[in-house]
Amino acid sequence: MLEILSLPPIMKGLIVITVAGLTFPLAGLYLFRLNLLPMRFMLMHGAILGGSVALAFQINPFWTTIGINILLVVFMSRSSRLLKMDLGHISMFFMVITISLAFIFIYKFNVPAQDTLTLLWGNLYVLSWVEVTGIGIFSLALVGFQYFFRRHLRALFFDREVAFTSGFNESLFYYIVVMVVAITVALAMKLIGALLLDAILLLPPIVATFHAKSLKGMIIGSVLWGGVFAAGGFLLSVAIDIPASSAVAALACLVFIVMYLTRKK
Amino acid sequence: MDHSLIVTQNDKVIFTSNQHWLYPLFELEDFLKQHPIDASELFLRDKIAGRAAACLMVYLGIRHCHVGLISQRALSVLDLHNVSYTYDRLVDQIQCRTENMIDDEMSISDAYLLLRKRAGRVKGLPVKLDAVSLQMEEKRLLDKVDLFVDRGEQLVIHGSNGVGKTTLLRAILGFVPLVSGTIKVGDYEVGSSAWKKNRSMVAYIHQESIKNGFPITAGEVVKIGLGNSRLTRNDAEMKVEVAMRRTGSFYLYDQLYNTLSGGEKQRVSIARCLCQNAGVFLLDEPTSFLDQRGKDDLLELLYEVIHNEAPTMILVSHEHQWAQRLQWKSMELKGGAFC
C-alpha cells in the first residue's frame, strides 16, 4: 500500500482530499444550517453547464465550472432580492434553466455528453498542480473566513433577524456565505464528484450534531470528521481497490449510522 | 469650596459634589458602585433636600444625614425609613416640580426610577411613530398611527391575533417597509444610513427564537449581543458573565440553548439584549411558550431589568391578564389604530 501511496498522483490525491476533508465541512455547515440544500442541487446542474461550456469552447473545465457557479449564485441572489422570492424557489428555477442550457450546449457544439457527465463522478487523480494550489489557497481562505468572522457567522447561524438587530451586516454575510458554499461545492465536485460530494460537505456536520455541545464543538467536530472521512476513505480505497469517492462516502455513511444508533441508545 | 454635598466616613471626607438638584446624589450612587463601602456607615451633608432627595438617600442606603434646608415631606420619608437626621431649617415644601410627582403611595424603588428618568439617567431611548401606515400584502394593518414612548418608559401593546402587533415591532426594527410616515428611535430615523450604523440600539426578542434547534450554548447566544464591538476576549467574557448573572442565567452558560425551558430561554435572550447595550427592548409575545411559573419569573425579571437598566420597553402580548400584572402603560391595537 505504501508503494501505491508513493506514486505522485496518488500522494497528491491523498493530500488534496485530506485538506478538503479538513476544511470543506465548514461550508457544509453553512449549507446545512442556512438550509441551502436546493442551492446545492442547482450548483450540481451548474457544474454540468460549466463542463459543457468548457468542452464546447475547449477551455479548462475546473475554472469554468467554478466561474459559472459563482455567476449563478450572483444571479440567483440578485433575483431573490429583486423578486422578493425565497432562495429555495429561485434555486429550483435556476436548476431547470442551467440543465436546459447545458443540453443546448451539448447538442449545438457536439459535445460528448459522457465527457460532461464524468463531472458527476469527479476525478481526484488528474488534478494539475495549479488546481491543487487553488484548492489549497481556497481551503486556507475558508479557515480564515471562519476564524475571523466567527462572531458574524455565529449570529447568522442563530437567527438572521437577531444578527441584524445585533448590528451585523447579515445580508452581506449571507451573500458571502452563499458564495463560499458555491465555490466549495464546485471544488468538491471536482474532487469526489457531484453525486458523492455530500460525504465531505454535509455528513461531517450532521454527524457532529450527534455529539456537539456547542457551536464551537460542532465546528471542530465537523472538520475532524471531514478529515477522518476523507483520509480514511482514501486509504480504504487504495487498500481494497475501490473508487476513492465511493470509499469516502461509504465510510462517512457507516460512521453516520453508527453514531446515529449510538445516539439512539 | 462650598460643596453642595459632602459625604464622610468616620469623620473623613470621602466624597464631595458641586452639582445641583439631584445630581450630587446620583454621582454618589456612581461612587458607591465603584467602591465597596457600606452606605449605612456614611454621614451625608446636603444643602437642600425635598421628598425626591430623601427617597434617593433611602434608596442608596444612607442612615445618617444633616440637611441645611429640608421639607416636611422629606422628613416623613426619612422618618418612615428610620434615617437619623438633623437640619438647620424646615419648610413645608421645596419649590420643585419633582416634589409633587412623588406621592405617598409610591415605593422607594418606583420613586428612584421616576427620578432617574427625570434626571435623564436611563439607558432607554425614545421611540416615536409619526403617521405610520403599514400594510401586509393587501391588508392595511396600521393607518396613520402616532405613538410616543419616552426614554425609559414601558408600554404593552395588546390586541387580538392578526391586528398587526408583531408587524409594528418589526417596522420599528426596520424589517417592514412603511407605506407612509416615519419612525424614530432616539435621534435616528429608521431606515436612514445613520440608523443602519446604530441599529443595535434596539434589541429584539421574538417568538421564533424559542424554536432554534441548532447546537449553540446559552453563553454563545449571549455573546451574539456583543455584536461588532472590539473587546478583548477577557472583556467580552466578563460582559457576558455580568449580563447572565444579572438575569440569573449564568448557571446555564454551557448548556445547549435548545435544551432550555421557555423561561430559561427568555432569561438568556434578555441577557443577550443587556450585552447588546440596547436602549430599546422589543419583546414579541414573550409568554408564548411559558407555563405559569415561567410567566411569574419573566415578570420578576423584567421588573429587575427596568430598575437596573431602565431601558425603553415595548412588549406585544395577547395575554391581557398577564400584561396587566406588569402595571405598564397599556394600549390596544384594533382596526389599524390604537384605542
Side-chain angles (χ1 to χ4, degrees), chain B residues 95-113:
Chain B
Q95 290 306 310
C96 175
R97 276 206 302 165
T98 318
E99 188 82 344
N100 295 322
M101 292 173 96
I102 303 169
D103 58 40
D104 295 338
E105 302 297 313
M106 199 177 270
S107 68
I108 291 293
S109 55
D110 284 344
Y112 166 73
L113 195 59

Side-chain angles (χ1 to χ4, degrees), chain B residues 146-295:
Chain B
D146 294 323
L147 176 71
F148 181 68
V149 187
D150 204 355
R151 50 171 59 229
E153 212 172 63
Q154 290 79 40
L155 172 72
V156 177
I157 298 173
H158 62 96
S160 49
N161 286 333
V163 290
K165 305 185 297 289
T166 298
T167 312
L168 172 64
L169 288 194
R170 293 173 62 77
I172 297 170
L173 288 158
F175 291 142
V176 180
L178 307 182
V179 175
S180 64
T182 54
I183 299 177
K184 273 182 100 175
V185 178
D187 295 328
Y188 305 107
E189 185 176 331
V190 173
S192 65
S193 52
W195 164 83
K196 277 177 189 155
K197 285 178 194 159
N198 295 282
R199 62 174 185 265
S200 62
M201 63 193 161
V202 183
Y204 183 41
I205 300 174
H206 64 53
Q207 305 166 45
E208 281 78 14
S209 68
I210 300 290
K211 294 175 189 166
N212 196 305
F214 202 60
I216 184 165
T217 62
E220 286 172 329
V221 170
V222 177
K223 277 180 194 165
I224 292 170
L226 295 171
N228 274 323
S229 51
R230 292 183 179 184
L231 297 171
T232 62
R233 185 187 289 258
N234 282 346
D235 288 347
E237 288 293 342
M238 180 65 81
K239 208 169 172 189
V240 169
E241 184 179 335
V242 168
M244 292 187 85
R245 285 195 189 281
R246 276 187 183 174
T247 57
S249 62
F250 187 62
Y251 71 101
L252 302 169
Y253 186 90
D254 284 323
Q255 288 192 33
L256 281 176
Y257 182 75
N258 59 13
T259 61
L260 306 181
S261 71
E264 288 169 336
K265 281 177 180 167
Q266 291 295 15
R267 283 187 179 272
V268 170
S269 295
I270 291 173
R272 170 176 59 76
C273 297
L274 291 178
C275 232
Q276 193 173 323
N277 226 9
V280 180
F281 285 28
L282 303 181
L283 297 98
D284 189 4
E285 302 282 5
T287 54
S288 293
F289 295 85
L290 302 186
D291 55 15
Q292 193 50 50
R293 194 179 159 193
K295 287 174 190 172

Side-chain angles (χ1 to χ4, degrees), chain A residues 14-259:
Chain A
L14 175 63
I15 293 168
V16 171
I17 194 81
T18 307
V19 168
L22 284 168
T23 55
F24 286 15
L26 291 172
L29 186 68
Y30 309 157
L31 195 91
F32 172 53
R33 176 56 193 152
L34 300 176
N35 201 14
L36 300 171
L37 284 177
M39 197 192 74
R40 172 243 180 277
F41 288 108
M42 187 274 290
L43 293 169
M44 213 166 105
H45 290 75
I48 296 172
L49 174 63
S52 59
V53 169
L55 291 172
F57 296 104
Q58 302 286 309
I59 47 177
N60 185 317
F62 180 78
W63 300 111
T64 312
T65 304
I66 291 172
I68 285 198
N69 269 344
I70 289 173
L71 277 178
L72 282 172
V73 168
V74 171
F75 286 142
M76 204 177 67
S77 304
R78 289 266 170 208
S79 316
S80 170
R81 201 174 293 179
L82 281 174
L83 302 170
K84 290 180 181 164
M85 268 180 85
D86 176 57
L87 209 62
H89 290 108
I90 291 280
S91 298
M92 281 182 235
F93 168 75
F94 274 87
M95 198 158 78
V96 175
I97 200 107
T98 43
I99 199 71
S100 67
L101 282 173
F103 280 102
I104 288 170
F105 271 97
I106 288 169
Y107 179 76
K108 285 285 179 192
F109 292 88
N110 292 320
V111 173
Q114 203 181 342
D115 289 356
T116 310
L117 293 175
T118 51
L119 277 166
L120 298 178
W121 276 260
N123 209 338
L124 190 57
Y125 303 111
V126 295
L127 291 170
S128 68
W129 278 112
V130 175
E131 289 165 346
V132 170
T133 311
I135 291 168
I137 291 170
F138 177 75
S139 295
L140 272 178
L142 189 57
V143 173
F145 177 68
Q146 173 60 48
Y147 180 77
F148 290 110
F149 297 103
R150 60 189 181 281
R151 288 194 291 179
H152 298 69
L153 292 165
R154 178 168 53 208
L156 196 66
F157 290 166
F158 178 66
D159 185 287
R160 286 187 68 180
E161 290 186 342
V162 168
F164 177 83
T165 57
S166 301
F168 294 107
N169 192 344
E170 57 82 35
S171 57
L172 174 69
F173 259 83
Y174 186 76
Y175 189 68
I176 294 172
V177 164
V178 168
M179 201 62 84
V180 166
V181 168
I183 299 172
T184 315
V185 167
L187 293 178
M189 221 174 290
K190 177 71 181 173
L191 298 182
I192 64 166
L195 299 178
L196 299 171
L197 67 88
D198 291 340
I200 60 166
L201 269 186
L202 284 176
L203 282 182
I206 292 172
V207 170
T209 55
F210 293 156
H211 57 77
K213 297 273 180 265
S214 66
L215 183 58
K216 194 177 172 184
M218 172 126 181
I219 292 164
I220 294 169
S222 296
V223 296
L224 289 181
W225 279 121
V228 168
F229 296 164
F234 187 90
L235 294 174
L236 185 71
S237 79
V238 173
I240 60 171
D241 191 25
I242 55 170
S245 52
S246 304
V248 170
L251 180 65
C253 291
L254 184 71
V255 172
F256 174 85
I257 291 166
V258 171
M259 292 297 287

Side-chain angles (χ1 to χ4, degrees), chain B residues 4 29 31 37 48 53 61 84 87 90 121 148 156-157 163 188 220 243 270-271 291 307-308 313 329 331-332:
Chain B
S4 52
E29 182 189 18
F31 175 81
I37 297 171
I48 305 173
S84 67
Y87 57 85
L90 178 67
R121 286 175 58 95
F148 181 68
V156 177
I157 298 173
V163 290
Y188 305 107
E220 286 172 329
I270 291 173
D291 55 15
H307 276 266
N308 289 327
M313 280 196 185
K329 187 175 149 188
M331 292 173 97
E332 187 183 1

